[in-house]
Amino acid sequence: DGVTDDTAAMQAAHDTGKIVYYPPGTYKFTTISAEAGSIIGAGQTQTVLLSTNTSSSDLITFTGDSVGGPDNALTFRDFMLQGQVPTKTAGGGIVVAPASNENTYAFASNVTVNYVPIGFDFVRASFFALTGCKLLAYSIAGVRVANAWNNDAGDSIIYGCAFNCPYSGGNNPAGIKQL
């Protein structure tokens, strides 16, 4: 309902490592971390994951490496992730950051990330694809690509996505920032 803090229930669902489906509604949380799984919603305007976090913490972090190719990849589809910029000045919205190795074939389609300093942060990832996503009101980057495991970030696809950043000044925000 966007009022009750759903963090504990959401974290428990993601701890299963399976696909988590969010029906239409607003789900209020602070942060979530999972090794595997996916997030599927009912639509960019129907399913809203609303984070109240204003610290430098990442909002949704996936820490596992690949689990077997494109048929078993992290999938993010049909939801909005809403953050707290300008009060939140650091941190990512959806972060792919395995402790070791790298994650391959993460896929996002029709996801809106709004008011988060970094929309998607691919810390250790390759062969990811973003299609039809909206990266809005970020203060650092809509998509940041680091691939700290292997500097081969040129093997991914960002297609048909919208980037809109109203911020300017010292952060020098970028639609896509490759480190």
Side-chain angles (χ1 to χ4, degrees):
D1 61 7
V3 176
T4 306
D5 187 338
D6 299 313
T7 303
M10 292 170 71
Q11 185 62 60
H14 287 284
D15 285 345
T16 67
K18 304 207 183 261
I19 296 170
V20 177
Y21 171 71
Y22 289 94
T26 299
Y27 301 84
K28 186 176 171 183
F29 74 105
T30 52
T31 64
I32 296 169
S33 181
E35 284 191 31
S38 296
I39 300 173
I40 308 293
Q44 287 177 320
T45 60
Q46 295 178 357
T47 299
V48 178
L49 306 182
L50 173 63
S51 176
T52 58
N53 180 280
T54 57
S55 76
S56 62
S57 298
D58 299 321
L59 303 184
I60 301 173
T61 305
F62 285 87
T63 59
D65 58 12
S66 297
V67 290
D71 293 334
N72 237 358
L74 290 174
T75 300
F76 310 102
R77 190 177 73 221
D78 299 321
F79 66 92
M80 176 187 291
L81 176 59
Q82 179 80 31
Q84 298 294 320
V85 165
T87 53
K88 183 171 180 61
T89 59
I94 298 173
V95 180
V96 179
S100 63
N101 207 339
E102 69 182 17
N103 184 286
T104 55
Y105 301 110
F107 175 75
S109 175
N110 299 319
V111 173
T112 297
V113 182
N114 198 20
Y115 291 109
V116 179
I118 303 166
F120 283 90
D121 195 358
F122 295 101
V123 178
R124 287 181 206 83
S126 62
F127 298 105
F128 63 84
L130 303 178
T131 64
C133 294
K134 296 177 184 170
L135 296 305
L136 309 174
Y138 48 86
S139 58
I140 297 173
V143 177
R144 184 167 71 177
V145 182
N147 203 353
W149 178 256
N150 184 6
N151 294 327
D152 62 347
D155 51 15
S156 299
I157 297 170
I158 298 173
Y159 178 78
C161 295
F163 295 84
N164 182 6
C165 177
Y167 299 104
S168 62
N171 284 337
N172 295 319
I176 301 170
K177 184 177 277 189
Q178 184 166 336
L179 303 178

